[in-house]
Amino acid sequence: MIKKYYFLAAILVIAGFCGCKTNSITGRNQLSLVSDAEVLTAANTEYKQFLSANKVIFPNSGNADATSVNRV
């Protein structure tokens, strides 16, 4: 039973060391389990889905929805 915990701890430590990299903006170390390219691809896909499912309100269009958004 205890060997299982040691094995799990070893896997977590190895994953932590392999996933660590330095953030180019802050200079701090961070754990990166997913690459930046994968994150950007997923974000662009979700953003396109959001835009297709929701109406875009332009700030100076003069309709009631834009007026409500500007007021808030």
Side-chain angles (χ1 to χ4, degrees):
M1 182 81 161
I2 293 176
K3 289 184 181 182
K4 287 182 184 179
Y5 291 118
Y6 284 132
F7 180 72
L8 180 61
I11 294 296
L12 290 175
V13 168
I14 290 170
F17 282 128
C18 293
C20 285
K21 69 175 191 174
T22 303
N23 186 321
S24 60
I25 297 172
T26 63
R28 292 180 165 182
N29 289 333
Q30 66 181 18
L31 179 63
S32 180
L33 300 176
V34 181
S35 70
D36 291 340
E38 288 179 280
V39 170
L40 288 175
T41 302
N44 285 332
T45 302
E46 289 298 320
Y47 182 65
K48 288 176 185 176
Q49 286 178 354
F50 177 82
L51 288 179
S52 67
N54 297 289
K55 183 173 73 169
V56 177
I57 299 172
F58 295 100
N60 297 323
S61 63
N63 66 14
D65 291 334
T67 305
S68 296
V69 169
N70 285 331
R71 196 177 24 193
V72 171

CSV table of all heavy atoms in Angstrom, one decimal:
chain,number,residue,atom,x,y,z
A,1,MET,N,0.8,-1.2,0.0
A,1,MET,CA,0.0,0.0,0.0
A,1,MET,C,0.9,1.3,0.0
A,1,MET,O,0.6,2.2,-0.7
A,1,MET,CB,-0.9,-0.1,1.2
A,1,MET,CG,-1.9,1.1,1.3
A,1,MET,SD,-3.2,0.8,0.2
A,1,MET,CE,-4.4,1.9,0.9
A,2,ILE,N,1.9,1.3,0.8
A,2,ILE,CA,2.8,2.4,0.9
A,2,ILE,C,3.6,2.6,-0.4
A,2,ILE,O,3.8,3.7,-0.8
A,2,ILE,CB,3.7,2.3,2.1
A,2,ILE,CG1,2.9,2.4,3.4
A,2,ILE,CG2,4.8,3.4,2.1
A,2,ILE,CD1,3.7,2.2,4.7
A,3,LYS,N,3.9,1.5,-1.0
A,3,LYS,CA,4.6,1.6,-2.3
A,3,LYS,C,3.8,2.3,-3.4
A,3,LYS,O,4.4,3.0,-4.2
A,3,LYS,CB,5.0,0.2,-2.8
A,3,LYS,CG,6.1,-0.5,-2.0
A,3,LYS,CD,6.5,-1.8,-2.5
A,3,LYS,CE,7.6,-2.4,-1.7
A,3,LYS,NZ,8.1,-3.7,-2.2
A,4,LYS,N,2.5,2.1,-3.3
A,4,LYS,CA,1.7,2.9,-4.3
A,4,LYS,C,1.8,4.4,-4.1
A,4,LYS,O,1.8,5.1,-5.1
A,4,LYS,CB,0.2,2.4,-4.1
A,4,LYS,CG,-0.1,1.1,-4.6
A,4,LYS,CD,-1.6,0.8,-4.4
A,4,LYS,CE,-1.9,-0.7,-4.8
A,4,LYS,NZ,-3.3,-1.0,-4.6
A,5,TYR,N,1.8,4.8,-2.8
A,5,TYR,CA,2.0,6.2,-2.6
A,5,TYR,C,3.3,6.8,-3.0
A,5,TYR,O,3.4,7.9,-3.5
A,5,TYR,CB,1.7,6.5,-1.1
A,5,TYR,CG,0.3,6.3,-0.7
A,5,TYR,CD1,0.0,5.4,0.3
A,5,TYR,CD2,-0.7,7.1,-1.2
A,5,TYR,CE1,-1.3,5.2,0.7
A,5,TYR,CE2,-2.0,6.9,-0.8
A,5,TYR,CZ,-2.3,5.9,0.1
A,5,TYR,OH,-3.6,5.8,0.5
A,6,TYR,N,4.4,6.0,-2.8
A,6,TYR,CA,5.7,6.4,-3.3
A,6,TYR,C,5.7,6.5,-4.8
A,6,TYR,O,6.3,7.4,-5.4
A,6,TYR,CB,6.8,5.4,-2.8
A,6,TYR,CG,7.1,5.6,-1.3
A,6,TYR,CD1,7.2,4.5,-0.5
A,6,TYR,CD2,7.4,6.9,-0.8
A,6,TYR,CE1,7.5,4.6,0.8
A,6,TYR,CE2,7.7,7.0,0.5
A,6,TYR,CZ,7.8,5.9,1.3
A,6,TYR,OH,8.1,6.1,2.7
A,7,PHE,N,5.1,5.5,-5.4
A,7,PHE,CA,5.1,5.5,-6.9
A,7,PHE,C,4.3,6.7,-7.4
A,7,PHE,O,4.7,7.4,-8.3
A,7,PHE,CB,4.4,4.2,-7.4
A,7,PHE,CG,4.3,4.1,-8.9
A,7,PHE,CD1,5.5,3.9,-9.7
A,7,PHE,CD2,3.1,4.3,-9.6
A,7,PHE,CE1,5.4,3.8,-11.0
A,7,PHE,CE2,3.0,4.2,-10.9
A,7,PHE,CZ,4.2,4.0,-11.7
A,8,LEU,N,3.1,7.0,-6.8
A,8,LEU,CA,2.3,8.2,-7.2
A,8,LEU,C,3.1,9.5,-7.0
A,8,LEU,O,3.1,10.4,-7.8
A,8,LEU,CB,1.0,8.2,-6.4
A,8,LEU,CG,0.1,9.3,-6.7
A,8,LEU,CD1,-0.4,9.3,-8.2
A,8,LEU,CD2,-1.1,9.3,-5.8
A,9,ALA,N,3.8,9.6,-5.8
A,9,ALA,CA,4.6,10.8,-5.5
A,9,ALA,C,5.7,10.9,-6.5
A,9,ALA,O,6.0,12.1,-7.0
A,9,ALA,CB,5.1,10.7,-4.1
A,10,ALA,N,6.3,9.8,-6.9
A,10,ALA,CA,7.4,9.9,-7.9
A,10,ALA,C,6.9,10.4,-9.2
A,10,ALA,O,7.5,11.2,-9.9
A,10,ALA,CB,8.1,8.6,-8.0
A,11,ILE,N,5.8,9.9,-9.7
A,11,ILE,CA,5.2,10.3,-10.9
A,11,ILE,C,4.8,11.8,-10.9
A,11,ILE,O,5.1,12.5,-11.9
A,11,ILE,CB,3.9,9.4,-11.2
A,11,ILE,CG1,4.3,8.0,-11.5
A,11,ILE,CG2,3.2,10.0,-12.4
A,11,ILE,CD1,5.2,7.7,-12.7
A,12,LEU,N,4.3,12.2,-9.8
A,12,LEU,CA,3.9,13.7,-9.7
A,12,LEU,C,5.2,14.5,-9.7
A,12,LEU,O,5.2,15.6,-10.3
A,12,LEU,CB,3.1,13.9,-8.4
A,12,LEU,CG,1.7,13.3,-8.4
A,12,LEU,CD1,1.1,13.5,-7.1
A,12,LEU,CD2,0.9,14.0,-9.5
A,13,VAL,N,6.2,14.1,-9.1
A,13,VAL,CA,7.5,14.9,-9.1
A,13,VAL,C,8.1,14.9,-10.5
A,13,VAL,O,8.5,16.0,-10.9
A,13,VAL,CB,8.5,14.3,-8.0
A,13,VAL,CG1,9.9,14.9,-8.2
A,13,VAL,CG2,8.0,14.5,-6.6
A,14,ILE,N,8.1,13.8,-11.1
A,14,ILE,CA,8.6,13.8,-12.5
A,14,ILE,C,7.8,14.7,-13.4
A,14,ILE,O,8.3,15.4,-14.2
A,14,ILE,CB,8.7,12.3,-13.0
A,14,ILE,CG1,9.8,11.6,-12.2
A,14,ILE,CG2,9.0,12.3,-14.5
A,14,ILE,CD1,9.8,10.1,-12.5
A,15,ALA,N,6.5,14.6,-13.3
A,15,ALA,CA,5.6,15.4,-14.2
A,15,ALA,C,5.8,16.9,-13.8
A,15,ALA,O,5.8,17.7,-14.8
A,15,ALA,CB,4.2,15.0,-13.9
A,16,GLY,N,6.1,17.2,-12.6
A,16,GLY,CA,6.3,18.6,-12.2
A,16,GLY,C,7.6,19.1,-12.8
A,16,GLY,O,7.6,20.2,-13.3
A,17,PHE,N,8.6,18.3,-12.8
A,17,PHE,CA,9.9,18.7,-13.4
A,17,PHE,C,9.8,18.8,-14.9
A,17,PHE,O,10.4,19.7,-15.5
A,17,PHE,CB,11.1,17.8,-12.9
A,17,PHE,CG,11.5,18.0,-11.6
A,17,PHE,CD1,11.7,17.0,-10.7
A,17,PHE,CD2,11.9,19.3,-11.1
A,17,PHE,CE1,12.1,17.2,-9.4
A,17,PHE,CE2,12.3,19.5,-9.8
A,17,PHE,CZ,12.4,18.4,-9.0
A,18,CYS,N,9.2,17.9,-15.5
A,18,CYS,CA,9.1,17.9,-17.0
A,18,CYS,C,8.2,19.0,-17.5
A,18,CYS,O,8.4,19.5,-18.6
A,18,CYS,CB,8.6,16.6,-17.5
A,18,CYS,SG,9.7,15.2,-17.2
A,19,GLY,N,7.2,19.4,-16.7
A,19,GLY,CA,6.2,20.4,-17.1
A,19,GLY,C,6.6,21.8,-16.8
A,19,GLY,O,6.0,22.8,-17.2
A,20,CYS,N,7.7,22.0,-16.0
A,20,CYS,CA,8.1,23.4,-15.6
A,20,CYS,C,8.8,24.1,-16.7
A,20,CYS,O,9.7,23.5,-17.4
A,20,CYS,CB,9.0,23.3,-14.4
A,20,CYS,SG,8.1,22.9,-12.9
A,21,LYS,N,8.5,25.3,-16.9
A,21,LYS,CA,9.2,26.2,-17.8
A,21,LYS,C,9.2,27.6,-17.3
A,21,LYS,O,8.4,27.9,-16.4
A,21,LYS,CB,8.6,26.1,-19.2
A,21,LYS,CG,7.3,26.7,-19.4
A,21,LYS,CD,6.8,26.7,-20.8
A,21,LYS,CE,5.6,27.5,-21.0
A,21,LYS,NZ,5.2,27.6,-22.4
A,22,THR,N,9.9,28.5,-17.8
A,22,THR,CA,10.0,29.9,-17.4
A,22,THR,C,9.0,30.7,-18.2
A,22,THR,O,9.1,30.7,-19.5
A,22,THR,CB,11.4,30.4,-17.5
A,22,THR,OG1,12.3,29.6,-16.7
A,22,THR,CG2,11.5,31.9,-17.0
A,23,ASN,N,8.2,31.5,-17.6
A,23,ASN,CA,7.3,32.4,-18.2
A,23,ASN,C,8.1,33.5,-18.8
A,23,ASN,O,8.8,34.2,-18.1
A,23,ASN,CB,6.2,32.9,-17.3
A,23,ASN,CG,5.1,33.7,-17.9
A,23,ASN,OD1,5.4,34.5,-18.8
A,23,ASN,ND2,3.9,33.5,-17.4
A,24,SER,N,7.9,33.8,-20.1
A,24,SER,CA,8.7,34.8,-20.8
A,24,SER,C,8.3,36.2,-20.3
A,24,SER,O,9.1,37.1,-20.4
A,24,SER,CB,8.6,34.7,-22.3
A,24,SER,OG,7.2,34.8,-22.7
A,25,ILE,N,7.1,36.4,-19.9
A,25,ILE,CA,6.7,37.8,-19.5
A,25,ILE,C,7.1,38.1,-18.0
A,25,ILE,O,7.7,39.1,-17.7
A,25,ILE,CB,5.2,37.9,-19.6
A,25,ILE,CG1,4.8,37.8,-21.1
A,25,ILE,CG2,4.7,39.2,-19.1
A,25,ILE,CD1,3.3,37.7,-21.4
A,26,THR,N,6.8,37.2,-17.1
A,26,THR,CA,7.1,37.4,-15.7
A,26,THR,C,8.4,36.9,-15.2
A,26,THR,O,8.9,37.4,-14.2
A,26,THR,CB,6.0,36.8,-14.8
A,26,THR,OG1,6.1,35.3,-15.0
A,26,THR,CG2,4.6,37.3,-15.1
A,27,GLY,N,9.0,36.0,-16.0
A,27,GLY,CA,10.3,35.4,-15.6
A,27,GLY,C,10.2,34.4,-14.5
A,27,GLY,O,11.2,33.8,-14.0
A,28,ARG,N,9.0,34.0,-14.1
A,28,ARG,CA,8.7,33.0,-13.0
A,28,ARG,C,8.6,31.6,-13.6
A,28,ARG,O,8.3,31.5,-14.8
A,28,ARG,CB,7.5,33.3,-12.3
A,28,ARG,CG,7.5,34.6,-11.4
A,28,ARG,CD,6.2,34.7,-10.7
A,28,ARG,NE,6.3,35.7,-9.6
A,28,ARG,CZ,5.3,36.0,-8.8
A,28,ARG,NH1,4.2,35.4,-9.0
A,28,ARG,NH2,5.5,36.9,-7.9
A,29,ASN,N,8.9,30.6,-12.8
A,29,ASN,CA,8.7,29.3,-13.3
A,29,ASN,C,7.2,28.9,-13.1
A,29,ASN,O,6.5,29.4,-12.2
A,29,ASN,CB,9.5,28.3,-12.4
A,29,ASN,CG,11.0,28.4,-12.7
A,29,ASN,OD1,11.4,28.8,-13.8
A,29,ASN,ND2,11.8,28.1,-11.7
A,30,GLN,N,6.7,28.1,-14.1
A,30,GLN,CA,5.3,27.7,-14.1
A,30,GLN,C,5.2,26.3,-14.6
A,30,GLN,O,6.0,25.8,-15.3
A,30,GLN,CB,4.5,28.7,-14.9
A,30,GLN,CG,4.8,28.6,-16.4
A,30,GLN,CD,3.9,29.6,-17.2
A,30,GLN,OE1,3.4,30.5,-16.7
A,30,GLN,NE2,3.8,29.4,-18.5
A,31,LEU,N,4.1,25.7,-14.2
A,31,LEU,CA,3.8,24.3,-14.6
A,31,LEU,C,3.0,24.4,-15.9
A,31,LEU,O,1.9,25.0,-15.9
A,31,LEU,CB,3.1,23.5,-13.6
A,31,LEU,CG,2.7,22.1,-13.9
A,31,LEU,CD1,3.9,21.3,-14.1
A,31,LEU,CD2,1.9,21.5,-12.8
A,32,SER,N,3.5,23.9,-17.0
A,32,SER,CA,2.8,23.9,-18.2
A,32,SER,C,2.5,22.5,-18.7
A,32,SER,O,3.3,21.8,-19.2
A,32,SER,CB,3.6,24.7,-19.3
A,32,SER,OG,3.0,24.7,-20.5
A,33,LEU,N,1.2,22.1,-18.5
A,33,LEU,CA,0.8,20.8,-18.9
A,33,LEU,C,0.3,20.7,-20.4
A,33,LEU,O,0.3,19.7,-21.0
A,33,LEU,CB,-0.3,20.3,-18.0
A,33,LEU,CG,0.1,20.2,-16.5
A,33,LEU,CD1,-1.1,19.7,-15.7
A,33,LEU,CD2,1.3,19.2,-16.4
A,34,VAL,N,0.0,21.9,-20.9
A,34,VAL,CA,-0.5,22.0,-22.3
A,34,VAL,C,0.3,23.1,-23.0
A,34,VAL,O,0.6,24.1,-22.4
A,34,VAL,CB,-2.0,22.4,-22.3
A,34,VAL,CG1,-2.5,22.5,-23.7
A,34,VAL,CG2,-2.8,21.4,-21.5
A,35,SER,N,0.7,22.8,-24.3
A,35,SER,CA,1.5,23.8,-25.0
A,35,SER,C,0.7,25.0,-25.3
A,35,SER,O,-0.5,25.0,-25.4
A,35,SER,CB,2.1,23.1,-26.3
A,35,SER,OG,1.0,23.0,-27.2
A,36,ASP,N,1.4,26.1,-25.6
A,36,ASP,CA,0.8,27.4,-25.9
A,36,ASP,C,0.0,27.3,-27.2
A,36,ASP,O,-1.1,27.8,-27.4
A,36,ASP,CB,1.8,28.5,-26.0
A,36,ASP,CG,2.4,28.9,-24.7
A,36,ASP,OD1,1.8,28.6,-23.7
A,36,ASP,OD2,3.5,29.5,-24.7
A,37,ALA,N,0.5,26.5,-28.2
A,37,ALA,CA,-0.1,26.3,-29.5
A,37,ALA,C,-1.5,25.6,-29.3
A,37,ALA,O,-2.5,26.0,-29.9
A,37,ALA,CB,0.7,25.5,-30.4
A,38,GLU,N,-1.5,24.6,-28.4
A,38,GLU,CA,-2.8,23.9,-28.2
A,38,GLU,C,-3.8,24.9,-27.5
A,38,GLU,O,-5.0,24.8,-27.8
A,38,GLU,CB,-2.6,22.7,-27.3
A,38,GLU,CG,-1.9,21.6,-28.0
A,38,GLU,CD,-1.6,20.4,-27.0
A,38,GLU,OE1,-0.7,20.5,-26.2
A,38,GLU,OE2,-2.4,19.5,-27.1
A,39,VAL,N,-3.3,25.7,-26.6
A,39,VAL,CA,-4.2,26.6,-25.9
A,39,VAL,C,-4.8,27.6,-26.9
A,39,VAL,O,-6.0,27.9,-26.9
A,39,VAL,CB,-3.5,27.3,-24.7
A,39,VAL,CG1,-4.3,28.5,-24.2
A,39,VAL,CG2,-3.1,26.3,-23.6
A,40,LEU,N,-3.9,28.2,-27.7
A,40,LEU,CA,-4.4,29.2,-28.7
A,40,LEU,C,-5.4,28.6,-29.7
A,40,LEU,O,-6.4,29.2,-30.0
A,40,LEU,CB,-3.2,29.8,-29.4
A,40,LEU,CG,-2.4,30.7,-28.6
A,40,LEU,CD1,-1.2,31.2,-29.4
A,40,LEU,CD2,-3.2,31.9,-28.2
A,41,THR,N,-5.1,27.4,-30.2
A,41,THR,CA,-6.1,26.7,-31.1
A,41,THR,C,-7.4,26.5,-30.4
A,41,THR,O,-8.5,26.8,-31.0
A,41,THR,CB,-5.5,25.3,-31.5
A,41,THR,OG1,-4.2,25.6,-32.1
A,41,THR,CG2,-6.4,24.7,-32.5
A,42,ALA,N,-7.4,26.0,-29.2
A,42,ALA,CA,-8.7,25.7,-28.5
A,42,ALA,C,-9.4,27.0,-28.2
A,42,ALA,O,-10.6,27.1,-28.4
A,42,ALA,CB,-8.4,25.0,-27.2
A,43,ALA,N,-8.7,28.1,-27.9
A,43,ALA,CA,-9.3,29.4,-27.6
A,43,ALA,C,-9.9,30.0,-28.8
A,43,ALA,O,-11.1,30.5,-28.8
A,43,ALA,CB,-8.3,30.4,-27.0
A,44,ASN,N,-9.2,29.9,-30.0
A,44,ASN,CA,-9.8,30.4,-31.2
A,44,ASN,C,-11.1,29.6,-31.6
A,44,ASN,O,-12.0,30.2,-32.1
A,44,ASN,CB,-8.8,30.3,-32.3
A,44,ASN,CG,-7.7,31.4,-32.2
A,44,ASN,OD1,-8.0,32.5,-31.7
A,44,ASN,ND2,-6.5,31.2,-32.7
A,45,THR,N,-11.0,28.3,-31.5
A,45,THR,CA,-12.2,27.5,-31.8
A,45,THR,C,-13.4,27.9,-30.9
A,45,THR,O,-14.5,28.1,-31.4
A,45,THR,CB,-11.9,26.0,-31.6
A,45,THR,OG1,-10.8,25.7,-32.4
A,45,THR,CG2,-13.1,25.1,-32.0
A,46,GLU,N,-13.2,28.0,-29.6
A,46,GLU,CA,-14.3,28.4,-28.7
A,46,GLU,C,-14.8,29.8,-29.0
A,46,GLU,O,-16.0,30.1,-28.9
A,46,GLU,CB,-13.8,28.3,-27.3
A,46,GLU,CG,-13.6,26.8,-26.8
A,46,GLU,CD,-14.9,26.0,-26.9
A,46,GLU,OE1,-16.0,26.5,-26.5
A,46,GLU,OE2,-14.8,24.9,-27.3
A,47,TYR,N,-13.9,30.7,-29.3
A,47,TYR,CA,-14.3,32.1,-29.6
A,47,TYR,C,-15.2,32.1,-30.9
A,47,TYR,O,-16.2,32.8,-30.9
A,47,TYR,CB,-13.1,33.0,-29.8
A,47,TYR,CG,-13.4,34.4,-30.1
A,47,TYR,CD1,-14.0,35.2,-29.1
A,47,TYR,CD2,-13.0,35.0,-31.3
A,47,TYR,CE1,-14.3,36.5,-29.3
A,47,TYR,CE2,-13.3,36.3,-31.5
A,47,TYR,CZ,-13.9,37.1,-30.5
A,47,TYR,OH,-14.2,38.4,-30.8
A,48,LYS,N,-14.8,31.4,-31.9
A,48,LYS,CA,-15.6,31.3,-33.1
A,48,LYS,C,-17.0,30.7,-32.8
A,48,LYS,O,-18.0,31.2,-33.3
A,48,LYS,CB,-14.9,30.6,-34.2
A,48,LYS,CG,-13.7,31.3,-34.8
A,48,LYS,CD,-13.0,30.5,-35.8
A,48,LYS,CE,-11.7,31.2,-36.3
A,48,LYS,NZ,-10.9,30.4,-37.2
A,49,GLN,N,-17.0,29.7,-32.0
A,49,GLN,CA,-18.3,29.1,-31.6
A,49,GLN,C,-19.2,30.1,-30.8
A,49,GLN,O,-20.4,30.2,-31.0
A,49,GLN,CB,-18.1,27.8,-30.8
A,49,GLN,CG,-17.6,26.6,-31.6
A,49,GLN,CD,-17.4,25.4,-30.8
A,49,GLN,OE1,-17.5,25.5,-29.5
A,49,GLN,NE2,-17.1,24.3,-31.4
A,50,PHE,N,-18.5,30.8,-29.9
A,50,PHE,CA,-19.3,31.8,-29.1
A,50,PHE,C,-19.9,32.9,-30.0
A,50,PHE,O,-21.0,33.3,-29.9
A,50,PHE,CB,-18.3,32.4,-28.1
A,50,PHE,CG,-19.0,33.5,-27.3
A,50,PHE,CD1,-19.8,33.2,-26.2
A,50,PHE,CD2,-18.8,34.9,-27.6
A,50,PHE,CE1,-20.4,34.2,-25.5
A,50,PHE,CE2,-19.4,35.9,-26.9
A,50,PHE,CZ,-20.2,35.5,-25.8
A,51,LEU,N,-19.1,33.4,-31.0
A,51,LEU,CA,-19.6,34.4,-31.9
A,51,LEU,C,-20.7,33.9,-32.8
A,51,LEU,O,-21.6,34.7,-33.1
A,51,LEU,CB,-18.4,35.0,-32.7
A,51,LEU,CG,-17.4,35.8,-32.0
A,51,LEU,CD1,-16.3,36.3,-33.0
A,51,LEU,CD2,-18.0,37.0,-31.3
A,52,SER,N,-20.6,32.7,-33.2
A,52,SER,CA,-21.7,32.1,-34.0
A,52,SER,C,-23.0,31.9,-33.2
A,52,SER,O,-24.1,31.9,-33.8
A,52,SER,CB,-21.3,30.9,-34.7
A,52,SER,OG,-21.1,29.8,-33.8
A,53,ALA,N,-22.9,31.7,-31.9
A,53,ALA,CA,-24.1,31.4,-31.1
A,53,ALA,C,-24.7,32.6,-30.5
A,53,ALA,O,-25.8,32.6,-30.0
A,53,ALA,CB,-23.7,30.4,-30.0
A,54,ASN,N,-23.9,33.7,-30.4
A,54,ASN,CA,-24.4,34.9,-29.7
A,54,ASN,C,-24.3,36.1,-30.7
A,54,ASN,O,-23.5,36.2,-31.5
A,54,ASN,CB,-23.5,35.2,-28.5
A,54,ASN,CG,-23.6,34.1,-27.5
A,54,ASN,OD1,-24.6,34.0,-26.8
A,54,ASN,ND2,-22.6,33.3,-27.4
A,55,LYS,N,-25.2,37.0,-30.4
A,55,LYS,CA,-25.3,38.2,-31.3
A,55,LYS,C,-24.3,39.2,-30.8
A,55,LYS,O,-24.1,39.5,-29.6
A,55,LYS,CB,-26.7,38.9,-31.1
A,55,LYS,CG,-26.9,40.1,-32.0
A,55,LYS,CD,-28.4,40.5,-32.0
A,55,LYS,CE,-28.7,41.2,-30.6
A,55,LYS,NZ,-30.0,41.8,-30.6
A,56,VAL,N,-23.5,39.8,-31.7
A,56,VAL,CA,-22.5,40.8,-31.4
A,56,VAL,C,-23.2,42.2,-31.4
A,56,VAL,O,-24.0,42.6,-32.3
A,56,VAL,CB,-21.4,40.8,-32.5
A,56,VAL,CG1,-20.4,41.9,-32.2
A,56,VAL,CG2,-20.7,39.5,-32.5
A,57,ILE,N,-22.9,42.9,-30.3
A,57,ILE,CA,-23.5,44.2,-30.1
A,57,ILE,C,-22.4,45.3,-30.3
A,57,ILE,O,-21.5,45.3,-29.5
A,57,ILE,CB,-24.2,44.4,-28.7
A,57,ILE,CG1,-25.3,43.3,-28.6
A,57,ILE,CG2,-24.7,45.8,-28.5
A,57,ILE,CD1,-25.9,43.3,-27.2
A,58,PHE,N,-22.6,46.1,-31.3
A,58,PHE,CA,-21.6,47.2,-31.5
A,58,PHE,C,-22.0,48.4,-30.7
A,58,PHE,O,-23.1,48.8,-30.5
A,58,PHE,CB,-21.6,47.6,-33.0
A,58,PHE,CG,-21.1,46.4,-33.9
A,58,PHE,CD1,-22.0,45.6,-34.6
A,58,PHE,CD2,-19.8,46.1,-33.9
A,58,PHE,CE1,-21.5,44.6,-35.3
A,58,PHE,CE2,-19.3,45.1,-34.7
A,58,PHE,CZ,-20.2,44.3,-35.4
A,59,PRO,N,-21.0,49.0,-30.0
A,59,PRO,CA,-21.3,50.1,-29.1
A,59,PRO,C,-22.0,51.3,-29.6
A,59,PRO,O,-22.8,51.9,-28.9
A,59,PRO,CB,-19.9,50.5,-28.6
A,59,PRO,CG,-18.9,49.7,-29.3
A,59,PRO,CD,-19.6,48.8,-30.2
A,60,ASN,N,-21.8,51.7,-30.8
A,60,ASN,CA,-22.4,52.9,-31.3
A,60,ASN,C,-23.5,52.7,-32.4
A,60,ASN,O,-23.7,53.5,-33.3
A,60,ASN,CB,-21.3,53.9,-31.9
A,60,ASN,CG,-20.4,54.3,-30.8
A,60,ASN,OD1,-20.8,54.6,-29.6
A,60,ASN,ND2,-19.1,54.5,-31.1
A,61,SER,N,-24.1,51.5,-32.3
A,61,SER,CA,-25.1,51.2,-33.3
A,61,SER,C,-26.4,51.8,-33.1
A,61,SER,O,-27.3,51.9,-34.0
A,61,SER,CB,-25.3,49.6,-33.4
A,61,SER,OG,-25.8,49.2,-32.1
A,62,GLY,N,-26.7,52.3,-31.9
A,62,GLY,CA,-27.9,53.0,-31.6
A,62,GLY,C,-29.1,52.2,-31.3
A,62,GLY,O,-30.2,52.7,-31.0
A,63,ASN,N,-29.0,50.9,-31.3
A,63,ASN,CA,-30.2,50.0,-30.9
A,63,ASN,C,-30.3,49.9,-29.4
A,63,ASN,O,-29.4,50.3,-28.6
A,63,ASN,CB,-30.1,48.7,-31.6
A,63,ASN,CG,-29.0,47.8,-31.1
A,63,ASN,OD1,-28.4,48.1,-30.1
A,63,ASN,ND2,-28.7,46.7,-31.8
A,64,ALA,N,-31.4,49.4,-28.9
A,64,ALA,CA,-31.7,49.3,-27.5
A,64,ALA,C,-30.7,48.5,-26.7
A,64,ALA,O,-30.3,48.8,-25.6
A,64,ALA,CB,-33.1,48.8,-27.3
A,65,ASP,N,-30.2,47.4,-27.3
A,65,ASP,CA,-29.2,46.5,-26.7
A,65,ASP,C,-27.9,47.3,-26.5
A,65,ASP,O,-27.3,47.2,-25.4
A,65,ASP,CB,-29.0,45.2,-27.5
A,65,ASP,CG,-30.1,44.3,-27.5
A,65,ASP,OD1,-31.0,44.4,-26.6
A,65,ASP,OD2,-30.3,43.5,-28.5
A,66,ALA,N,-27.5,48.0,-27.5
A,66,ALA,CA,-26.2,48.7,-27.3
A,66,ALA,C,-26.3,49.8,-26.3
A,66,ALA,O,-25.4,50.1,-25.5
A,66,ALA,CB,-25.8,49.3,-28.7
A,67,THR,N,-27.5,50.4,-26.2
A,67,THR,CA,-27.7,51.5,-25.2
A,67,THR,C,-27.6,50.9,-23.8
A,67,THR,O,-27.0,51.5,-22.9
A,67,THR,CB,-29.1,52.2,-25.5
A,67,THR,OG1,-29.1,52.6,-26.8
A,67,THR,CG2,-29.3,53.3,-24.5
A,68,SER,N,-28.2,49.7,-23.6
A,68,SER,CA,-28.2,49.0,-22.3
A,68,SER,C,-26.8,48.7,-21.9
A,68,SER,O,-26.4,48.9,-20.8
A,68,SER,CB,-29.1,47.8,-22.4
A,68,SER,OG,-30.4,48.1,-22.6
A,69,VAL,N,-26.0,48.2,-22.9
A,69,VAL,CA,-24.6,47.8,-22.6
A,69,VAL,C,-23.8,49.0,-22.3
A,69,VAL,O,-23.0,49.0,-21.3
A,69,VAL,CB,-24.0,47.0,-23.8
A,69,VAL,CG1,-22.5,46.8,-23.6
A,69,VAL,CG2,-24.7,45.7,-24.0
A,70,ASN,N,-24.0,50.1,-23.0
A,70,ASN,CA,-23.2,51.3,-22.7
A,70,ASN,C,-23.6,51.9,-21.3
A,70,ASN,O,-22.7,52.4,-20.6
A,70,ASN,CB,-23.5,52.4,-23.8
A,70,ASN,CG,-22.7,52.0,-25.1
A,70,ASN,OD1,-21.7,51.4,-25.0
A,70,ASN,ND2,-23.3,52.5,-26.2
A,71,ARG,N,-24.8,51.8,-21.0
A,71,ARG,CA,-25.3,52.3,-19.7
A,71,ARG,C,-24.7,51.5,-18.5
A,71,ARG,O,-24.3,52.1,-17.5
A,71,ARG,CB,-26.8,52.2,-19.6
A,71,ARG,CG,-27.4,53.1,-18.5
A,71,ARG,CD,-28.9,53.0,-18.6
A,71,ARG,NE,-29.3,51.8,-19.2
A,71,ARG,CZ,-30.5,51.4,-19.7
A,71,ARG,NH1,-31.4,52.3,-19.5
A,71,ARG,NH2,-30.7,50.3,-20.3
A,72,VAL,N,-24.5,50.2,-18.7
A,72,VAL,CA,-23.9,49.4,-17.6
A,72,VAL,C,-22.5,49.6,-17.5
A,72,VAL,O,-21.9,49.8,-16.5
A,72,VAL,CB,-24.2,47.9,-17.9
A,72,VAL,CG1,-23.4,47.0,-17.0
A,72,VAL,CG2,-25.6,47.5,-17.8
